[in-house]
Coordinates of all heavy atoms in Angstrom, one line a residue:
M1 N 67.2 16.4 22.6 CA 66.6 17.3 21.7 C 65.2 16.8 21.3 O 65.1 15.6 20.9 CB 67.5 17.5 20.5 CG 66.9 18.4 19.4 SD 67.9 18.4 17.9 CE 68.6 20.0 18.1
P2 N 64.2 17.6 21.3 CA 62.8 17.1 20.9 C 62.8 16.8 19.5 O 63.4 17.4 18.6 CB 61.9 18.3 21.3 CG 62.7 19.3 21.9 CD 64.2 18.9 21.8
R3 N 62.0 15.8 19.1 CA 61.9 15.4 17.7 C 60.9 16.3 17.0 O 59.9 16.7 17.6 CB 61.4 14.0 17.6 CG 62.4 13.0 18.3 CD 61.8 11.6 18.3 NE 62.1 11.1 16.9 CZ 61.8 9.9 16.6 NH1 61.2 9.1 17.4 NH2 62.1 9.4 15.4
S4 N 61.2 16.6 15.8 CA 60.2 17.4 15.0 C 59.0 16.6 14.6 O 59.1 15.4 14.6 CB 60.9 18.0 13.8 OG 61.1 17.0 12.8
K5 N 58.0 17.3 14.1 CA 56.8 16.6 13.7 C 57.1 15.6 12.5 O 56.6 14.5 12.4 CB 55.8 17.6 13.2 CG 54.4 17.1 13.1 CD 53.4 18.3 12.9 CE 52.0 17.8 13.1 NZ 51.0 18.9 12.8
N6 N 58.0 16.1 11.6 CA 58.4 15.2 10.5 C 59.1 14.0 10.9 O 58.9 12.9 10.4 CB 59.2 16.0 9.5 CG 58.4 17.0 8.7 OD1 57.2 16.9 8.6 ND2 59.1 17.9 8.1
Q7 N 60.0 14.1 11.9 CA 60.8 12.9 12.4 C 59.8 11.9 13.0 O 60.1 10.7 12.9 CB 61.8 13.4 13.4 CG 63.0 14.1 12.7 CD 63.9 14.6 13.8 OE1 63.5 15.1 14.8 NE2 65.2 14.5 13.5
D8 N 58.8 12.3 13.6 CA 57.8 11.3 14.2 C 57.2 10.5 13.1 O 56.7 9.4 13.4 CB 56.8 12.0 15.0 CG 57.4 12.6 16.3 OD1 58.4 12.1 16.8 OD2 56.8 13.6 16.9
K9 N 57.0 11.0 11.9 CA 56.4 10.3 10.8 C 57.3 9.4 10.1 O 56.9 8.6 9.2 CB 55.8 11.3 9.8 CG 54.7 12.1 10.4 CD 54.2 13.1 9.4 CE 53.1 14.0 9.9 NZ 52.7 15.0 8.9
M10 N 58.6 9.4 10.3 CA 59.6 8.7 9.6 C 59.8 7.3 10.2 O 59.7 7.2 11.4 CB 60.9 9.4 9.5 CG 60.7 10.7 8.6 SD 62.3 11.4 8.3 CE 61.9 13.0 7.7
S11 N 60.2 6.4 9.4 CA 60.6 5.0 9.8 C 62.0 4.8 9.6 O 62.6 5.3 8.6 CB 59.8 4.0 9.1 OG 58.4 4.1 9.4
L12 N 62.7 4.1 10.4 CA 64.1 3.8 10.3 C 64.2 2.5 9.5 O 63.5 1.5 9.7 CB 64.7 3.6 11.7 CG 66.2 3.2 11.7 CD1 67.0 4.3 11.1 CD2 66.6 2.8 13.1
I13 N 65.1 2.6 8.4 CA 65.4 1.4 7.6 C 66.9 1.2 7.6 O 67.6 2.1 7.8 CB 64.8 1.4 6.2 CG1 65.4 2.6 5.4 CG2 63.3 1.5 6.3 CD1 65.1 2.6 3.9
S14 N 67.3 0.0 7.3 CA 68.8 -0.3 7.1 C 69.0 -0.8 5.7 O 68.2 -1.5 5.2 CB 69.2 -1.3 8.1 OG 69.1 -0.9 9.4
V15 N 70.0 -0.3 5.1 CA 70.4 -0.7 3.7 C 71.9 -1.0 3.7 O 72.7 -0.4 4.4 CB 70.0 0.3 2.6 CG1 68.5 0.5 2.5 CG2 70.7 1.6 2.8
H16 N 72.2 -2.0 2.8 CA 73.6 -2.3 2.6 C 74.0 -1.6 1.2 O 73.3 -1.8 0.2 CB 73.9 -3.8 2.5 CG 73.7 -4.4 3.8 ND1 72.5 -4.9 4.3 CD2 74.6 -4.7 4.8 CE1 72.7 -5.4 5.5 NE2 74.0 -5.3 5.8
V17 N 75.1 -0.9 1.2 CA 75.6 -0.3 0.0 C 77.0 -0.6 -0.2 O 77.8 -0.7 0.8 CB 75.3 1.3 0.0 CG1 73.8 1.6 0.0 CG2 76.0 2.0 1.1
P18 N 77.5 -0.6 -1.4 CA 78.9 -0.8 -1.7 C 79.7 0.4 -1.1 O 79.3 1.5 -1.0 CB 79.0 -0.8 -3.2 CG 77.7 -1.1 -3.7 CD 76.7 -0.6 -2.7
K19 N 80.9 0.0 -0.6 CA 81.8 1.0 0.0 C 82.0 2.3 -0.9 O 81.9 3.4 -0.4 CB 83.2 0.4 0.4 CG 84.1 1.4 1.1 CD 85.4 0.7 1.5 CE 86.2 1.7 2.2 NZ 87.5 1.1 2.6
K20 N 82.2 2.1 -2.2 CA 82.4 3.2 -3.1 C 81.2 4.1 -3.1 O 81.3 5.3 -3.2 CB 82.8 2.7 -4.5 CG 83.1 3.7 -5.5 CD 84.3 4.6 -5.1 CE 84.6 5.6 -6.2 NZ 85.5 6.6 -5.8
M21 N 80.0 3.5 -3.1 CA 78.8 4.3 -3.2 C 78.7 5.1 -1.9 O 78.3 6.3 -2.0 CB 77.6 3.4 -3.3 CG 76.3 4.1 -3.7 SD 74.9 3.0 -3.9 CE 75.4 2.1 -5.4
L22 N 79.0 4.6 -0.8 CA 79.0 5.3 0.5 C 80.0 6.4 0.5 O 79.7 7.5 1.0 CB 79.2 4.3 1.7 CG 79.1 4.9 3.0 CD1 77.7 5.5 3.3 CD2 79.4 3.9 4.1
E23 N 81.1 6.2 -0.1 CA 82.2 7.3 -0.2 C 81.6 8.4 -1.0 O 81.8 9.6 -0.7 CB 83.5 6.7 -0.7 CG 84.2 5.8 0.2 CD 85.3 5.0 -0.4 OE1 85.5 5.1 -1.7 OE2 86.0 4.3 0.3
E24 N 81.0 8.1 -2.1 CA 80.4 9.1 -3.0 C 79.3 9.9 -2.3 O 79.2 11.1 -2.4 CB 79.9 8.5 -4.3 CG 81.0 7.9 -5.2 CD 82.0 8.9 -5.7 OE1 81.7 10.1 -5.7 OE2 83.1 8.5 -6.0
L25 N 78.5 9.2 -1.5 CA 77.4 9.8 -0.8 C 78.0 10.7 0.3 O 77.5 11.9 0.4 CB 76.6 8.7 -0.1 CG 75.4 9.1 0.7 CD1 74.3 9.8 -0.2 CD2 74.8 8.0 1.5
D26 N 79.0 10.3 1.0 CA 79.7 11.2 2.0 C 80.3 12.4 1.3 O 80.3 13.5 1.9 CB 80.7 10.4 2.7 CG 80.1 9.4 3.7 OD1 78.9 9.6 4.1 OD2 80.8 8.5 4.1
E27 N 80.7 12.2 0.1 CA 81.3 13.4 -0.6 C 80.2 14.4 -0.9 O 80.5 15.6 -0.8 CB 82.0 12.9 -2.0 CG 82.5 14.1 -2.8 CD 83.7 14.8 -2.1 OE1 84.3 14.3 -1.2 OE2 84.0 15.9 -2.6
L28 N 79.0 14.0 -1.3 CA 77.9 15.0 -1.4 C 77.6 15.7 -0.2 O 77.3 16.9 -0.2 CB 76.7 14.2 -1.9 CG 76.7 13.6 -3.3 CD1 75.4 12.8 -3.6 CD2 77.0 14.6 -4.4
V29 N 77.7 15.0 1.0 CA 77.5 15.7 2.3 C 78.6 16.6 2.6 O 78.4 17.8 3.0 CB 77.3 14.6 3.4 CG1 77.2 15.3 4.7 CG2 76.1 13.8 3.1
R30 N 79.8 16.2 2.3 CA 81.0 17.0 2.6 C 81.0 18.3 1.8 O 81.3 19.4 2.3 CB 82.3 16.2 2.3 CG 83.6 17.0 2.7 CD 84.8 16.4 2.1 NE 84.9 16.6 0.7 CZ 85.2 17.8 0.0 NH1 85.3 18.9 0.7 NH2 85.2 17.9 -1.3
R31 N 80.5 18.2 0.5 CA 80.4 19.4 -0.3 C 79.2 20.3 0.0 O 79.1 21.4 -0.6 CB 80.4 19.0 -1.8 CG 81.7 18.4 -2.3 CD 81.7 17.7 -3.6 NE 80.9 18.4 -4.6 CZ 80.4 17.8 -5.7 NH1 80.7 16.6 -6.0 NH2 79.7 18.5 -6.6
G32 N 78.4 19.9 0.9 CA 77.2 20.7 1.3 C 76.0 20.5 0.4 O 75.1 21.3 0.6
I33 N 76.0 19.6 -0.5 CA 74.9 19.4 -1.4 C 73.7 18.9 -0.6 O 72.6 19.2 -0.8 CB 75.3 18.5 -2.5 CG1 76.3 19.1 -3.4 CG2 74.0 18.1 -3.4 CD1 77.0 18.3 -4.4
F34 N 74.0 18.0 0.4 CA 73.0 17.5 1.4 C 73.5 17.7 2.8 O 74.7 17.6 3.0 CB 72.7 16.0 1.1 CG 72.0 15.8 -0.2 CD1 72.8 15.4 -1.3 CD2 70.6 15.9 -0.4 CE1 72.1 15.1 -2.5 CE2 70.0 15.7 -1.6 CZ 70.8 15.3 -2.7
P35 N 72.6 17.9 3.7 CA 73.1 18.1 5.1 C 73.6 16.8 5.8 O 74.4 16.9 6.7 CB 71.9 18.7 5.9 CG 70.7 18.2 5.1 CD 71.2 18.1 3.6
N36 N 73.1 15.7 5.3 CA 73.5 14.4 5.9 C 73.1 13.2 4.9 O 72.5 13.5 3.9 CB 72.9 14.2 7.3 CG 71.4 14.4 7.2 OD1 70.7 13.7 6.4 ND2 70.8 15.2 8.0
R37 N 73.6 12.1 5.3 CA 73.3 10.9 4.4 C 71.8 10.6 4.2 O 71.3 10.3 3.2 CB 73.9 9.6 5.0 CG 75.4 9.6 5.0 CD 75.9 8.3 5.7 NE 77.3 8.1 5.6 CZ 77.9 7.2 6.3 NH1 77.3 6.4 7.1 NH2 79.2 7.1 6.2
S38 N 71.0 10.8 5.3 CA 69.6 10.5 5.3 C 68.9 11.4 4.3 O 68.0 10.9 3.5 CB 69.0 10.6 6.7 OG 69.4 9.6 7.5
E39 N 69.2 12.7 4.3 CA 68.6 13.6 3.4 C 68.9 13.2 1.9 O 68.0 13.3 1.0 CB 69.0 15.0 3.7 CG 68.4 15.6 4.9 CD 66.9 15.7 4.8 OE1 66.3 16.0 3.8 OE2 66.2 15.6 5.9
A40 N 70.1 12.8 1.7 CA 70.5 12.4 0.3 C 69.8 11.2 -0.1 O 69.3 11.1 -1.3 CB 72.1 12.2 0.3
I41 N 69.7 10.2 0.7 CA 69.0 9.0 0.4 C 67.5 9.2 0.2 O 66.9 8.7 -0.7 CB 69.2 7.9 1.5 CG1 70.7 7.5 1.4 CG2 68.3 6.7 1.3 CD1 71.2 6.7 2.6
R42 N 66.9 10.1 1.1 CA 65.5 10.4 0.9 C 65.2 11.1 -0.5 O 64.3 10.8 -1.2 CB 65.0 11.3 2.0 CG 64.5 10.6 3.2 CD 63.7 11.5 4.2 NE 64.6 12.4 4.9 CZ 65.3 12.1 5.9 NH1 65.3 11.0 6.5 NH2 66.0 13.1 6.5
A43 N 66.1 12.0 -0.9 CA 66.0 12.7 -2.2 C 66.1 11.7 -3.3 O 65.3 11.8 -4.2 CB 67.1 13.8 -2.3
A44 N 67.0 10.8 -3.2 CA 67.1 9.8 -4.3 C 65.9 8.8 -4.3 O 65.4 8.5 -5.4 CB 68.4 8.9 -4.1
L45 N 65.4 8.4 -3.2 CA 64.2 7.6 -3.1 C 63.0 8.3 -3.7 O 62.2 7.8 -4.4 CB 64.0 7.1 -1.7 CG 62.8 6.2 -1.5 CD1 62.9 4.9 -2.4 CD2 62.7 5.8 0.0
R46 N 62.9 9.6 -3.3 CA 61.7 10.4 -3.8 C 61.8 10.5 -5.3 O 60.8 10.3 -6.0 CB 61.8 11.8 -3.1 CG 60.6 12.7 -3.5 CD 60.7 14.0 -2.8 NE 62.0 14.7 -3.0 CZ 62.8 14.9 -2.0 NH1 62.6 14.5 -0.8 NH2 64.0 15.5 -2.3
D47 N 63.0 10.8 -5.8 CA 63.1 10.9 -7.3 C 62.8 9.6 -8.0 O 62.1 9.6 -9.0 CB 64.5 11.3 -7.6 CG 64.8 12.8 -7.3 OD1 63.9 13.5 -6.8 OD2 66.0 13.2 -7.4
L48 N 63.2 8.5 -7.4 CA 62.9 7.2 -8.0 C 61.4 6.9 -8.0 O 60.8 6.4 -9.0 CB 63.6 6.1 -7.2 CG 63.3 4.6 -7.6 CD1 63.9 4.4 -9.0 CD2 63.9 3.6 -6.6
L49 N 60.7 7.2 -6.9 CA 59.3 6.9 -6.8 C 58.5 7.8 -7.8 O 57.6 7.3 -8.5 CB 58.8 7.2 -5.4 CG 59.2 6.2 -4.3 CD1 58.8 6.7 -2.9 CD2 58.6 4.9 -4.6
Y50 N 58.9 9.0 -7.9 CA 58.2 9.9 -8.9 C 58.5 9.4 -10.3 O 57.5 9.3 -11.1 CB 58.7 11.3 -8.8 CG 57.8 12.1 -7.8 CD1 58.2 12.2 -6.5 CD2 56.6 12.7 -8.3 CE1 57.4 12.9 -5.6 CE2 55.8 13.3 -7.4 CZ 56.2 13.5 -6.1 OH 55.4 14.1 -5.2
K51 N 59.7 9.0 -10.6 CA 60.0 8.5 -12.0 C 59.3 7.2 -12.3 O 58.7 7.0 -13.4 CB 61.5 8.4 -12.1 CG 62.0 7.9 -13.5 CD 63.5 7.7 -13.5 CE 63.9 7.0 -14.8 NZ 65.3 6.6 -14.8
E52 N 59.4 6.2 -11.4 CA 59.0 4.8 -11.7 C 57.6 4.5 -11.3 O 56.9 3.7 -11.9 CB 59.9 3.8 -11.0 CG 61.4 3.9 -11.5 CD 61.5 3.6 -13.0 OE1 60.7 2.8 -13.6 OE2 62.4 4.2 -13.6
V53 N 57.1 5.2 -10.3 CA 55.7 4.9 -9.8 C 54.7 5.9 -10.3 O 53.6 5.5 -10.8 CB 55.7 4.8 -8.2 CG1 54.3 4.5 -7.7 CG2 56.6 3.7 -7.8
F54 N 55.0 7.1 -10.1 CA 54.1 8.2 -10.5 C 54.2 8.7 -11.9 O 53.4 9.5 -12.3 CB 54.2 9.3 -9.5 CG 54.1 8.8 -8.0 CD1 55.1 9.1 -7.1 CD2 53.0 8.1 -7.6 CE1 55.0 8.7 -5.8 CE2 52.9 7.7 -6.3 CZ 53.9 7.9 -5.4
K55 N 55.3 8.3 -12.6 CA 55.6 8.7 -14.0 C 55.5 10.2 -14.2 O 54.9 10.7 -15.1 CB 54.6 8.0 -14.9 CG 54.5 6.5 -14.8 CD 55.8 5.8 -15.1 CE 55.6 4.3 -15.1 NZ 56.9 3.6 -15.0
T56 N 56.1 10.9 -13.2 CA 56.1 12.3 -13.3 C 57.5 12.8 -12.8 O 58.2 12.1 -12.2 CB 54.9 13.0 -12.5 OG1 54.9 14.4 -12.8 CG2 55.0 12.7 -11.1
K57 N 57.7 14.1 -13.0 CA 59.0 14.7 -12.4 C 58.8 14.9 -10.9 O 57.7 15.1 -10.4 CB 59.3 16.0 -13.1 CG 59.6 15.8 -14.6 CD 59.9 17.2 -15.2 CE 60.3 17.0 -16.6 NZ 60.6 18.3 -17.3
P58 N 60.0 14.8 -10.2 CA 59.9 15.0 -8.8 C 59.5 16.5 -8.5 O 59.6 17.3 -9.4 CB 61.4 14.8 -8.3 CG 62.0 14.1 -9.4 CD 61.3 14.4 -10.7
P59 N 59.0 16.7 -7.3 CA 58.6 18.1 -7.0 C 59.8 19.0 -6.9 O 60.9 18.6 -6.8 CB 58.0 18.0 -5.6 CG 58.6 16.7 -5.0 CD 58.9 15.8 -6.2
K60 N 59.5 20.3 -7.1 CA 60.6 21.3 -7.0 C 61.2 21.3 -5.5 O 60.5 20.9 -4.6 CB 60.1 22.7 -7.4 CG 59.7 22.7 -8.8 CD 59.2 24.1 -9.2 CE 58.8 24.1 -10.6 NZ 58.1 25.3 -11.0
E61 N 62.4 21.7 -5.4 CA 63.1 21.7 -4.1 C 62.3 22.4 -3.0 O 62.3 21.9 -1.9 CB 64.4 22.3 -4.2 CG 65.4 22.0 -3.1 CD 66.8 22.5 -3.4 OE1 67.3 22.2 -4.4 OE2 67.3 23.2 -2.5
E62 N 61.5 23.4 -3.3 CA 60.8 24.1 -2.3 C 59.5 23.4 -1.8 O 58.9 23.8 -0.9 CB 60.5 25.6 -2.7 CG 59.6 25.7 -4.0 CD 60.4 25.7 -5.3 OE1 61.7 25.5 -5.2 OE2 59.8 25.9 -6.3
E63 N 59.1 22.4 -2.6 CA 57.9 21.7 -2.2 C 58.2 20.7 -1.1 O 59.4 20.2 -1.0 CB 57.3 20.9 -3.4 CG 56.7 21.9 -4.4 CD 56.2 21.1 -5.6 OE1 57.0 20.7 -6.5 OE2 54.9 21.0 -5.6
K64 N 57.3 20.4 -0.2 CA 57.5 19.6 0.9 C 57.5 18.1 0.6 O 56.8 17.7 -0.2 CB 56.5 19.9 2.0 CG 56.5 21.3 2.5 CD 55.5 21.5 3.6 CE 55.6 23.0 4.1 NZ 54.6 23.3 5.0
E65 N 58.4 17.4 1.3 CA 58.5 15.9 1.1 C 57.1 15.3 1.5 O 56.8 14.3 0.9 CB 59.6 15.4 2.0 CG 60.0 14.0 1.7 CD 61.2 13.6 2.5 OE1 62.3 14.2 2.2 OE2 61.1 12.8 3.4
E66 N 56.4 15.8 2.4 CA 55.1 15.2 2.8 C 54.1 15.2 1.7 O 53.1 14.6 1.7 CB 54.5 15.9 4.0 CG 55.4 16.1 5.2 CD 56.2 17.3 5.2 OE1 55.7 18.5 5.2 OE2 57.4 17.2 5.1
D67 N 54.4 16.0 0.7 CA 53.4 16.1 -0.5 C 53.5 14.9 -1.4 O 52.7 14.8 -2.3 CB 53.7 17.4 -1.3 CG 53.4 18.7 -0.4 OD1 52.6 18.6 0.5 OD2 53.9 19.7 -0.8
L68 N 54.4 14.0 -1.1 CA 54.5 12.8 -1.9 C 53.2 12.1 -1.9 O 52.8 11.7 -0.8 CB 55.7 12.0 -1.4 CG 56.0 10.7 -2.1 CD1 56.6 11.0 -3.5 CD2 56.9 9.8 -1.3
P69 N 52.6 11.8 -3.0 CA 51.3 11.1 -3.0 C 51.3 9.6 -2.7 O 51.1 8.8 -3.5 CB 50.7 11.4 -4.4 CG 51.9 11.6 -5.2 CD 53.0 12.2 -4.3
I70 N 51.7 9.3 -1.5 CA 51.9 7.9 -1.1 C 50.6 7.1 -1.3 O 50.6 5.9 -1.6 CB 52.4 7.8 0.4 CG1 53.8 8.4 0.5 CG2 52.4 6.4 0.9 CD1 54.8 7.7 -0.3
S71 N 49.4 7.8 -1.2 CA 48.2 7.1 -1.3 C 48.0 6.4 -2.7 O 47.3 5.4 -2.8 CB 47.0 8.1 -1.1 OG 47.1 9.1 -2.1
L72 N 48.8 6.9 -3.6 CA 48.7 6.3 -5.0 C 49.4 4.9 -5.0 O 49.2 4.1 -5.9 CB 49.5 7.2 -6.0 CG 48.8 8.5 -6.3 CD1 49.6 9.3 -7.3 CD2 47.4 8.3 -6.8
L73 N 50.2 4.6 -3.9 CA 50.9 3.3 -3.9 C 49.9 2.2 -3.4 O 50.2 1.0 -3.6 CB 52.0 3.4 -2.9 CG 53.2 4.2 -3.3 CD1 54.2 4.3 -2.2 CD2 53.9 3.6 -4.6
K74 N 48.8 2.5 -2.8 CA 47.9 1.5 -2.3 C 47.4 0.6 -3.5 O 47.1 1.1 -4.5 CB 46.7 2.1 -1.6 CG 47.2 2.8 -0.3 CD 46.0 3.4 0.4 CE 46.4 4.1 1.7 NZ 45.4 4.8 2.4
G75 N 47.4 -0.7 -3.2 CA 46.9 -1.6 -4.2 C 47.9 -2.0 -5.2 O 47.6 -2.7 -6.2
R76 N 49.1 -1.6 -5.1 CA 50.2 -2.0 -6.0 C 50.8 -3.3 -5.6 O 50.9 -3.6 -4.5 CB 51.3 -0.9 -6.1 CG 50.8 0.2 -7.0 CD 52.0 1.1 -7.3 NE 51.6 1.9 -8.4 CZ 51.9 1.8 -9.7 NH1 52.6 0.8 -10.0 NH2 51.5 2.6 -10.6

C-alpha cells in the first residue's frame, strides 16, 4: 500500500509503557475512540506540547496535526 504524504513526514519512535497503561490504551482503540495506538499516542503528545510548550489549548479536532507550530521549539 502506498504511503500517504503525512506518513512520509513521520518518524518512528519506540517507548516503553507499563502493561496497565497499554491495556488502557488498547481499550480506547477497542471502543473506537482512536483508530489505533499511534493515533492515540499522537493525540496525547500533541496535547502535552500545547499545554507545556506553547501554553495554549490544543487545536480543535478538525484542525490538522501538521498545523502544530513546531518552529516554536527551535532554540529550546
Side-chain angles (χ1 to χ4, degrees):
M1 173 185 259
R3 298 176 83 179
S4 73
K5 198 173 191 179
N6 285 341
Q7 286 175 320
D8 288 335
K9 295 179 183 178
M10 293 189 193
S11 297
L12 177 65
I13 63 169
S14 296
V15 296
H16 290 87
V17 296
K19 183 177 180 180
K20 181 65 177 164
M21 192 179 292
L22 185 59
E23 290 169 355
E24 296 295 338
L25 182 66
D26 286 341
E27 179 64 15
L28 294 176
V29 174
R30 188 194 67 74
R31 291 173 36 200
I33 296 171
F34 293 98
N36 53 53
R37 290 175 177 175
S38 291
E39 288 295 328
I41 292 168
R42 273 193 290 277
L45 181 56
R46 182 179 54 246
D47 290 353
L48 175 68
L49 288 173
Y50 271 93
K51 179 182 174 192
E52 298 298 328
V53 177
F54 308 123
K55 306 296 184 197
T56 186
K57 291 182 181 180
K60 294 180 182 170
E61 196 170 308
E62 61 271 6
E63 292 179 281
K64 296 181 180 176
E65 193 170 293
E66 306 88 65
D67 294 336
L68 182 71
I70 295 297
S71 60
L72 295 177
L73 291 173
K74 292 181 180 175
R76 285 195 163 256

